[in-house]
Amino acid sequence: MSAPNGWSWALLRAFKAGERSALAAVYELHAPEVTALLAGGFSFESGGAWHRFVGYQGAFDLQDALQETFRLAFEPRARAAYDGIRPYGPYVRTIARNVVLKSFRAGRALFPSLGATPAPLDAASSEGPPELEASP
């Protein structure tokens, strides 16, 4: 008899307990669908506008996001929050989306809009590049 989410009851109990073999089994079951989401992209709304995440094109960025997704999904708090009733795929894909959206928000914070007229350079950047000492 399976648990409501389709896993065996033993796998669900071991997953909730954080057993390494169960985490590895869940990773193997769900990594392909999370990889497809992170590689294929998705649309989302932010600040009243729709955006398109086109997906990670590089293998390093894709693997980094995949590993971050499962690191977060396997934290004790996230395992406890998963009820074991609904399918795990949508739960872990939501975590993957949040990993991407966190990057999106961080990127926007690093590059705020200056409007039509750029602001004057601050004192640190108006000094020009640092002088390099000449080698003897």
Side-chain angles (χ1 to χ4, degrees), residues 30-125:
H30 296 283
E33 68 189 282
V34 174
T35 299
L37 174 72
L38 294 171
F42 54 87
S43 297
F44 62 95
E45 185 179 13
S46 177
W50 281 93
H51 302 270
R52 173 83 183 146
F53 167 61
V54 297
Y56 290 108
Q57 304 304 303
F60 178 82
D61 291 333
L62 177 61
Q63 283 300 310
D64 188 46
L66 180 68
Q67 297 309 311
E68 179 63 8
T69 296
F70 281 96
R71 184 192 69 77
L72 293 170
F74 290 169
E75 285 183 344
R77 188 178 76 209
R79 288 192 329 270
Y82 177 61
D83 60 17
I85 296 170
R86 291 169 285 165
Y88 190 71
Y91 182 79
V92 74
R93 287 193 311 270
T94 297
I95 294 171
R97 285 176 58 92
N98 289 337
V99 166
V100 170
L101 295 177
K102 182 179 177 185
S103 275
F104 173 76
R105 287 188 294 272
R108 288 182 67 174
L110 291 174
F111 299 97
S113 173
L114 298 176
T117 307
L121 297 175
D122 63 20
S125 63

